[in-house]
Amino acid sequence: MEENKKSLNFIEQMIEKDLEEGRHKTVVSRFPPEPNGYLHIGHAKSICLNFGLAEKYGGKCNLRFDDTDPEKEETKYVESIKDNIRWLGFDWEDREYYASDYFDQLYIWATDLIKKGKAYVDDLPADAFNKIKGTPARPGTPSPYRERSVEENLYLFSRMKEGAFEDGEKVLRAKIDLSSPNMHMRDPILYRIKHTAHHRTGSKWCIYPTYDMAHGQSDSIESITHSLCTLEFEVHRPLYEWLIENLEIYPSKQTEFARLNLSYTVVSKRSLRELVELGHVNGWDDPRMPTISGMKRRGFTPEAVKKFADTIGVARRNGLTDVAVLEHAVREDLNKKANRVFGIMNPLKVIITNWPEDKTEMLTAINNPEDPAAGTRKIPFTQEIYVDQGDFMENPPSPGKWFRLGPDREVRLKFAYIIKCTGYKKAEDGSIEELYAEYDPETKSGQDTGRKKVKGTLGWVSASYAINAEIRMYDRLFTTENMSAIKDDFKNHLNPDSLKIISNAVVEPSLKKAKVGDQVQFERIGYFRVDEDSTQDHLIFNRTVTLRDNRNK
RNA sequence: UGGCCUAUGGUGUAACUGGCAACACGUCUGAUUUUGGUUCAGAAGAGUCUAGGUUCGAGCCCUAGUAGGCCAACCA
């Protein structure tokens, strides 16, 4: 019997091999954000990877803040990062760690390296060292301070810690190899002086470990079995391993994978920050932002994001993922979950001339054809209703290509009756002002005698019961597919139509009780989410994504 | 320029690690449909960057080349 086992990605293959060969009994991974900004879709990929792997193999995934640069890090980011991970549905239980928790240990390890003659205090200013450091093609030359005695190094390093020196006056360097073709092995900095308060340790320290000094050691302290990071850290791996070896500590293993690139999207903290600060978007949680909070507000669901992460997989080659994959993931999820309702973006009044002026009939509407448990609701039908302006054409093409309204054309009003357009009124500017129609009493939804078949079905809203709503139509933020290939300023590629606000839309009365966060499908239009700006008497919907549209041919 | 990494339909990933390339998205057909949605059935589309080599046999191994990515921050 063949079971179609889903194929494994290269990391899963490595893990299963490690497990089989007894190198590890379980998986301990970690998600290590630096609390200096907000999480985005790229982080989501990493979160799903790290937590997902731990889940799959019955292991654990820690949350560890990589907070070794007090100049950039803040507590507010810590909170938002935790919120985002929780929203995605992952739980780090009590394993919330901080690299700064390990500062004491890290300091001891630094002195251990000094004692082994593997680290030294260097007085050379940054630019001076960089000058003698050489280039990838040309070896560097040693700093004049490279051969200081262990005692002197130990003394100087302790003086650094005590605050005897100014920022930048001295650094602690690993003593490795000035001629290595890997620049990270040319006596990399382990500790630097920063008289800056840290968001967690306050003013306890004025020297801080660098990423290289802190990251692998933190992994080791937490007994991380598989330390996953993005490709650009590949060149750090020899240093990662050098430190573990020379410190003789638990050998966590670093494995790199390709970061996410999304079409029509920019995913870098720097660029996203610029968009916010220059006001191109309304904050980090603007629904157009690829930040987790932005996507949440837009209407993406955790399930969709996880499904997305799952489908794109993980590999070691840099590519460009089509946003269509993300959009497909939300549609798939929302199709099952979102109730259908009627909303008219650009209302066009239709007067049903043979319907009594004061009559209201309550009709039954199905909430979600994909989910019978979602039940039904009642919607009022009256003489005057709204359909969308886009659903009428004065001179429509043949009925085979145009299923909607036109002079003498018939359509079904969903859950109601079939109507025939008997006339229309034009405004002076040529626009269509209102439509006149006649309904066929024998075509009531559910009780249709079946003598009539129409191809088109329209959504509608009773004019007397309609609720006004603001609809925010979001579209991609950029017009260029591959934003990582552009050479000019990325802001030149902004999509001027990434947000179109429709302030005079009408929606069906059942939406009166809509709450922030509710997600619906406006039939034939797309999926929408009630925005946090929404109030009791001013409903605001964000368009998450349009419906798939096959009307090309 | 020195080194490291990568190279499979339009896009993202597979190929039990040598046995004539699969899945998803997208595209196109048709059916169903009281959403031009969903669902269903089907199609087109790569011979695996190039050139050698090893082998009975290579997308998987070797060599060279080409292309792309990464590295010369007291950022992570």
Side-chain angles (χ1 to χ4, degrees):
Chain A
M1 295 288 109
E2 277 298 306
E3 33 185 307
N4 34 334
K5 206 166 46 173
K6 201 185 169 230
S7 56
L8 306 175
N9 63 49
F10 80 102
I11 296 176
E12 293 168 328
Q13 291 179 13
M14 173 186 67
I15 289 175
E16 299 207 350
K17 201 174 168 201
D18 286 343
L19 261 24
E20 277 165 28
E21 297 176 359
R23 258 187 301 285
H24 299 295
K25 286 192 286 292
T26 182
V27 172
V28 184
S29 58
R30 103 266 90 116
F31 174 62
E34 182 186 13
N36 70 342
Y38 295 91
L39 261 29
H40 54 64
I41 183 72
H43 294 111
K45 172 182 177 178
S46 175
I47 292 169
C48 293
L49 218 211
N50 280 294
F51 279 94
L53 250 17
E55 230 164 66
K56 175 168 182 174
Y57 294 101
K60 304 278 188 200
C61 179
N62 298 347
L63 169 60
R64 183 175 70 237
F65 290 95
D66 228 337
D67 55 351
T68 56
D69 185 358
E71 285 165 10
K72 294 177 182 159
E73 295 146 9
E74 293 178 48
T75 303
K76 68 170 181 181
Y77 296 121
V78 170
E79 294 310 316
S80 105
I81 287 169
K82 291 199 285 186
D83 283 347
N84 288 165
I85 302 172
R86 266 189 231 110
W87 178 74
L88 279 172
F90 295 109
D91 185 7
W92 56 94
E93 300 172 316
D94 58 346
R95 300 181 311 283
E96 178 175 324
Y97 303 132
Y98 294 79
S100 53
D101 290 343
Y102 309 138
F103 282 173
D104 287 307
Q105 177 62 261
L106 261 16
Y107 180 80
I108 292 169
W109 278 337
T111 60
D112 287 347
L113 286 173
I114 293 174
K115 289 173 192 161
K116 290 182 178 182
K118 302 279 191 183
Y120 63 96
V121 172
D122 187 12
D123 297 2
L124 239 35
D127 53 337
F129 185 85
N130 291 337
K131 213 170 291 170
I132 64 165
K133 195 177 184 181
T135 68
R138 222 180 41 248
T141 52
S143 159
Y145 306 98
R146 196 170 198 256
E147 300 305 331
R148 285 217 252 234
S149 69
V150 169
E151 292 67 31
E152 189 181 3
N153 280 322
L154 246 18
Y155 171 73
L156 257 16
F157 188 49
S158 70
R159 294 294 289 153
M160 280 169 65
K161 181 193 178 193
E162 287 159 9
F165 308 111
E166 298 297 309
D167 286 11
E169 212 179 314
K170 287 181 166 44
V171 292
L172 182 74
R173 290 185 182 280
K175 190 192 283 187
I176 308 183
D177 180 6
L178 267 332
S179 60
S180 170
N182 182 342
M183 296 300 284
H184 294 277
M185 298 299 270
R186 323 254 266 225
D187 289 9
I189 292 175
L190 264 20
Y191 264 90
R192 71 286 217 204
I193 299 169
K194 286 185 189 224
H195 290 271
T196 305
H198 185 278
H199 71 109
R200 299 195 85 237
T201 60
S203 53
K204 177 178 177 187
W205 297 89
C206 63
I207 56 171
Y208 293 93
T210 54
Y211 165 84
D212 292 300
M213 182 61 199
H215 198 94
Q217 284 61 268
S218 301
D219 284 341
S220 187
I221 290 170
E222 296 173 22
S223 296
I224 299 299
T225 55
H226 301 269
S227 177
L228 311 178
C229 61
T230 44
L231 249 28
E232 62 274 23
F233 289 96
E234 201 170 346
V235 282
H236 290 254
R237 185 164 15 112
L239 179 53
Y240 182 101
E241 290 169 351
W242 184 92
L243 284 162
I244 281 177
E245 271 169 37
N246 286 282
L247 255 14
E248 300 173 77
I249 56 180
Y250 179 83
S252 298
K253 286 274 180 284
Q254 172 180 314
T255 303
E256 312 84 17
F257 62 92
R259 73 180 326 142
L260 171 70
N261 288 311
L262 250 198
S263 62
Y264 303 103
T265 309
V266 65
V267 197
S268 88
K269 277 185 195 171
R270 198 205 99 249
S271 307
L272 296 179
R273 179 183 307 278
E274 213 175 321
L275 291 175
V276 173
E277 286 172 357
L278 268 35
H280 289 108
V281 295
N282 305 310
W284 287 94
D285 65 343
D286 185 297
R288 290 165 292 184
M289 291 284 273
T291 51
I292 293 182
S293 43
M295 292 194 298
K296 172 187 173 186
R297 189 168 174 188
R298 172 85 166 253
F300 284 86
T301 59
E303 292 73 19
V305 175
K306 284 192 267 195
K307 176 69 192 300
F308 169 71
D310 197 51
T311 18
I312 59 173
V314 51
R316 279 181 69 82
R317 88 181 102 157
N318 277 311
L320 182 65
T321 297
D322 193 339
V323 266
V325 180
L326 215 207
E327 291 173 350
H328 174 262
V330 228
R331 288 196 187 100
E332 190 179 43
D333 190 42
L334 260 18
N335 177 48
K336 292 177 302 194
K337 294 179 184 166
N339 280 172
R340 276 58 170 171
V341 289
F342 289 138
I344 308 296
M345 305 296 109
N346 304 295
L348 171 61
K349 185 172 280 183
V350 181
I351 299 168
I352 300 167
T353 52
N354 60 340
W355 185 273
E357 194 184 327
D358 51 1
K359 179 180 176 186
T360 295
E361 182 176 9
M362 295 307 286
L363 299 165
T364 302
I366 294 165
N367 287 330
N368 185 351
E370 303 297 315
D371 178 16
T376 60
R377 68 185 184 286
K378 293 290 186 185
I379 48 176
F381 187 73
T382 54
Q383 187 190 44
E384 295 193 356
I385 60 165
Y386 292 115
V387 298
D388 202 276
Q389 281 169 26
D391 289 337
F392 175 81
M393 272 184 96
E394 211 178 344
N395 299 297
S398 77
K401 298 194 85 173
W402 178 257
F403 307 152
R404 298 173 249 174
L405 282 171
D408 292 320
R409 293 284 179 91
E410 282 185 311
V411 298
R412 160 157 311 270
L413 295 176
K414 192 162 184 174
F415 303 130
Y417 301 88
I418 289 177
I419 60 166
K420 178 180 198 167
C421 177
T422 54
Y424 57 95
K425 183 166 130 195
K426 242 173 151 171
E428 286 190 1
D429 63 358
S431 65
I432 307 297
E433 213 163 73
E434 57 187 26
L435 258 38
Y436 307 106
E438 286 180 3
Y439 86 106
D440 181 342
E442 289 174 22
T443 58
K444 179 172 173 178
S445 189
Q447 298 162 219
D448 197 317
T449 53
R451 67 176 176 80
K452 209 173 272 180
K453 273 286 176 220
V454 290
K455 191 86 174 84
T457 302
L458 265 42
W460 53 273
V461 169
S462 160
S464 353
Y465 293 89
I467 302 176
N468 262 24
E470 174 180 328
I471 314 273
R472 296 178 178 171
M473 301 290 232
Y474 292 107
D475 200 354
R476 52 183 57 139
L477 243 189
F478 296 95
T479 52
T480 300
E481 184 174 21
N482 188 356
M483 288 298 289
S484 52
I486 60 167
K487 278 159 261 144
D488 57 331
D489 188 335
F490 77 104
K491 296 190 294 304
N492 294 340
H493 300 256
L494 277 163
N495 175 11
D497 299 320
S498 61
L499 168 60
K500 282 191 205 153
I501 296 177
I502 298 178
S503 45
N504 55 346
V506 294
V507 301
E508 63 168 75
S510 74
L511 256 10
K512 196 165 296 174
K513 51 185 192 301
K515 303 182 307 294
V516 169
D518 283 356
Q519 293 183 268
V520 296
Q521 179 199 106
F522 284 131
E523 296 232 16
R524 307 200 305 137
I525 303 173
Y527 295 99
F528 294 78
R529 175 181 179 278
V530 180
D531 189 75
E532 357 285 292
D533 287 348
S534 200
T535 61
Q536 187 74 326
D537 28 48
H538 185 59
L539 271 178
I540 302 173
F541 292 88
N542 295 329
R543 181 173 71 190
T544 306
V545 65
T546 61
L547 249 33
R548 200 157 160 256
D549 187 0
N550 279 342
R551 71 184 67 166
N552 319 316
K553 216 175 176 182

